[in-house]
Structure formats: C-alpha cells, structure tokens
Amino acid sequence: MASVLVVEDDQFVRSALIRQLTDASHLVRSVGTALEALREVAHFRFDVVILDLGLPDLDGSEALKMLRGITDVPVIIATARDDETEIVRLLNAGADDYLTKPFSVEHLSARMAAVLRRARSGAAEASPSSVIRVGGLTVDPLRRQAELDGVRLDLTRREFDLLAFLAGRPGVVVPRRELLAEVWQQSYGDDQTIDVHLSWLRRKLGETAARPRYLHTLRGVGVKLEPPVSADTADTGGTGPIR
C-alpha cells in the first residue's frame, strides 16, 4: 500500500485513477492544478506523485521543477506527449518515470511498484557506516547526501541512486543491464534513460563525456566510476580514463 497524489485536471481520468488505485489498496489524494499539488506535498507526505502535464494553471514540466525544489518524492509523469525530446527534458528535470496516455492500470501499477521498490530498498540498505569515498567524492546513503571536494551536490533521487550504486563499486565496469535492474528496478528499458541521467550527473560533477573525471563509459559494455587520474600517474604512463 502506498500514499499517492494524483495530479490530473481531467475529471473522468482523475476519477478512474482514484477508483483503480483505491481498489488496489493505495491511499489516494487528488488535485486538478499544479499549485494545489505544491500545497499538498508541502503539507502531506506521499510515496509517489502521478503528474499530468496538461494542467490548467502551469505546464506539468514547470510543476515538476517546482516540486523538485521542495521534495524528492518519486514522480511518474502521465502524458499524451510522446516526443522524444520532451521525454528527455522531463527526465532531466527530475522525473523518475513516465507513462504515455492511454495506459492501463496494470502498467501504472508496475511502474509505481518499481519506483517504490527503489526508494524503499535504498532506505533499508543504508547504514551509518556506509559512507563511500572515491577521490574527492563522498556519498552518504543514510542521509542521501553527496559532496564533491567538500561541496554538497544537488541531486535528484534517481541521480543519487545512480551515483551511489556506481560509487559503491569503484573501478568496476557495470553493464547497462545491471544498472537498469538495480537502479531502475526494470528488467528491460531504453538505454537513453541511462544516458540522460549520466549526462545530467556529469554536469553536476563538473565533467563531460568527452572529458570525464569520475564517470567513464566503455562503449557497448557499461559504465564505471573511479577517482580522477592524477597528473603524476598520467605523466608516468598510467592508465588513462576510458573514453
């Protein structure tokens, strides 16, 4: 059972979602505007938010950015827009997942279960002694905080999960399939989802795919995180980063 906020202005769709989610034993609250959604998350604790994009007061993508400013609750976008550029933009803005309308309640339930498993397993597995340090990078799974050279990183839930998973295996090339299974809790998916989050994470680490410091990709194999190669190592013929 989960506490769910449905943000949907279409009364027919909204009523159907409320009925179906309630029948599945979830606790459901619902609103029809972005501003109402912001008030709800400010006053109540939710396990997941289902956010429509076509809201009457604010576009859902703007609402998503505002939500991310006050909470890291998992957000599943429900949209009739299937444009690839739009989907990438939503993931960059902090969406945890998205569904293209129309969708079945079974499909929605599966996506909800995935984001909830990830959120709950991350909290359950964290312990006070699990702080991870890789070079100047520090990741604290218990507090869900990360710092680079002493400066706190502003990460979304998914970015933190991805960083923590890779930092916990420094120097190990993690296959994309494993990332999907462990970070996204999905047995299959689009590699673009991983690429988008890696790109956004690289920006926050002050690097790019062309000039990596911590995050390195091995094309066709996977991704690894390791401390930056020192100038001394580079000068003495040490192994450079994988490009």
Side-chain angles (χ1 to χ4, degrees):
M1 181 177 69
S3 175
V4 185
L5 175 63
V6 173
V7 187
E8 169 64 64
D9 70 317
D10 186 306
Q11 188 59 49
F12 177 78
V13 175
R14 188 164 143 193
S15 297
L17 284 173
I18 292 171
R19 182 179 63 255
Q20 292 166 346
L21 290 171
T22 301
D23 288 347
S25 300
H26 297 300
L27 300 176
V28 185
R29 292 179 67 90
S30 68
V31 294
T33 68
L35 294 181
E36 288 177 312
L38 291 169
R39 283 195 290 267
E40 285 287 306
V41 299
H43 290 91
F44 301 98
R45 182 177 180 84
F46 295 98
D47 296 311
V48 64
V49 173
I50 300 169
L51 177 64
D52 177 42
L53 293 186
L55 300 174
D57 54 343
L58 284 175
D59 185 80
S61 60
E62 292 301 314
L64 174 63
K65 293 178 183 178
M66 297 175 72
L67 283 170
R68 279 291 165 254
I70 60 176
T71 180
D72 64 351
V73 61
V75 175
I76 299 175
I77 298 293
T79 176
R81 309 171 193 174
D82 59 359
D83 179 70
E84 183 177 290
T85 302
E86 176 72 359
I87 291 170
V88 170
R89 187 167 70 88
L90 291 168
L91 293 172
N92 279 339
D96 290 82
D97 207 341
Y98 66 89
L99 283 170
T100 302
K101 295 178 179 178
F103 52 80
S104 67
V105 67
E106 290 80 9
H107 194 176
L108 172 60
S109 296
R111 295 297 183 96
M112 284 178 52
V115 297
L116 290 172
R117 279 197 306 270
R118 184 174 64 254
R120 289 166 178 168
S121 65
E125 292 174 2
S127 66
S129 61
S130 63
V131 175
I132 303 166
R133 293 179 176 84
V134 182
L137 183 66
T138 302
V139 181
D140 187 340
L142 178 65
R143 295 178 176 83
R144 294 191 65 82
Q145 293 179 2
E147 295 182 352
L148 179 61
D149 299 327
V151 178
R152 184 170 175 177
L153 297 171
D154 182 16
L155 303 176
T156 66
R157 175 185 292 274
R158 188 65 60 83
E159 289 166 355
F160 181 87
D161 290 342
L162 178 58
L163 179 65
F165 187 79
L166 291 171
R169 298 153 181 78
V172 176
V173 178
V174 181
R176 288 170 176 267
R177 181 175 297 180
E178 184 176 347
L179 289 176
L180 280 172
E182 298 297 333
V183 178
W184 275 264
Q185 299 292 316
Q186 296 178 10
S187 58
Y188 63 92
D190 190 346
D191 280 0
Q192 185 184 49
T193 298
I194 299 175
D195 291 336
V196 166
H197 284 85
L198 283 172
S199 176
W200 203 245
L201 189 54
R202 281 190 173 106
R203 291 188 191 185
K204 296 181 179 182
L205 293 175
E207 61 182 68
T208 65
R211 298 179 65 85
R213 295 182 64 236
Y214 284 90
L215 293 171
H216 307 277
T217 57
L218 186 61
R219 185 169 298 178
V221 181
V223 184
K224 74 172 178 177
L225 184 147
E226 64 183 5
V229 177
S230 68
D232 290 343
T233 301
D235 290 342
T236 57
T239 303
I242 297 173
R243 303 290 177 124

